[in-house]
Amino acid sequence: MRSVLDFIKNNKFKILILIIVLAIISIGVYKILESKKKDYTITEVSTYNYFVLNKDSKYGVIDTTGKIIVEPIYDNVTIPNPEKAVFVCKEEDKLIVLNNLNEKIFTEYEEVDAISINGIASNIPYEKTVLKYKKDGKYGIISFEGKEITKPIYEEIKGLENKETELLVKLNGKYGVINAKGAKLIKPEYDNIVADGFYTDKNKYGLSGYIVSNKTRGRI
C-alpha cells in the first residue's frame, strides 16, 4: 500500500497527463459515436414478405404464398416494413401489435403505433426501423425488435414531413427533431418545424434543411 502511495506521489504529473489524454480520447470517441448516430441513412425495402388483406371491409395479413397470417377481423392494419413481421392492428379505438405467429407483442406499453410520414418519394409512407410507444402518458421510440431507443419523455412524436428517418417531437410544449437512432438534431425550442423538402436522387432528403418558427406576441 505504501509503495502505491509513493508511486502516486512521485508521478503526479505523469498521472495527470495520462488522465487528460484519456479524457480527450473519451471525448473524441463520444463525438465520433454521436456523429455516426446523426448519419442520414434510409432503410430500403427490397423484399415484401407480408401484405394487408382486405375482406368484407375488415383487414388482416397474408404472406407471399397467400397464407393468412392475421385473420381479417380488424378495422385497419398497418405494415410499416413489409420485410418484418410487425403488424399494427386497430380494433375500434384500440391498437394491437401482432407478429407472424399471431401473438401480441409490446404488451408492456400502453400503446405502440407506426410512424407515418407525408410527402416522401416512397410507396411505404412509414418509418421502417422504429415505432413509437406510449408509457405513463408520454411517448418514446423503439426498434422493431423491441429495443427502447429513447425514454418516454415526449408529449408527441410524429414523422417529419418530407424527411425520412427524422421525427418531430414535442417536449414542454415546444417542438424539436430527433432521428430514428435517438440523436437530437434540433432542441425542442420552437412552436413549429418543417423540412424544406430539398431532394436529390443521390442524397435523397439528406441535404434538406429545416424551417423553424416561434410565435410572437403582437402589439394591441
Side-chain angles (χ1 to χ4, degrees), residues 22-151:
L22 291 174
I24 291 172
I25 292 173
S26 298
I27 292 171
V29 170
Y30 174 79
K31 287 186 176 180
I32 290 172
L33 293 175
E34 285 299 302
S35 178
K36 285 183 177 295
K37 284 177 68 176
K38 293 181 180 180
D39 287 345
Y40 189 85
T41 55
I42 296 176
T43 299
E44 301 288 349
V45 175
S46 57
T47 305
Y48 283 68
N49 296 321
Y50 305 101
F51 304 87
V52 174
L53 170 65
N54 182 352
K55 184 177 181 181
D56 300 327
S57 298
K58 290 290 184 177
Y59 298 88
V61 178
I62 59 173
D63 65 13
T64 54
T65 68
K67 177 184 175 182
I68 295 178
I69 305 299
V70 175
E71 291 290 337
I73 59 174
Y74 296 98
D75 297 326
N76 188 51
V77 171
T78 298
I79 305 177
N81 185 335
E83 289 186 340
K84 298 182 179 294
V86 176
F87 320 121
V88 182
C89 307
K90 185 176 183 181
E91 189 174 35
E92 296 181 350
D93 292 329
K94 186 178 181 182
L95 292 175
I96 301 169
V97 186
L98 303 175
N99 62 15
N100 59 327
L101 300 177
N102 204 31
E103 299 169 331
K104 293 181 181 180
I105 55 178
F106 309 138
T107 55
E108 64 268 35
Y109 302 112
E110 296 169 28
E111 181 180 286
V112 173
D113 198 2
I115 303 173
S116 61
I117 320 168
N118 296 322
I120 61 170
S122 173
N123 60 346
I124 307 172
Y126 301 99
E127 287 297 339
K128 303 172 188 66
T129 60
V130 295
L131 304 159
K132 64 179 178 180
Y133 71 91
K134 186 177 183 181
K135 188 175 184 180
D136 299 327
K138 296 291 182 71
Y139 294 91
I141 57 175
I142 56 173
S143 69
F144 280 73
E145 293 71 36
K147 179 183 177 182
E148 287 191 9
I149 298 171
T150 71
K151 293 181 179 180

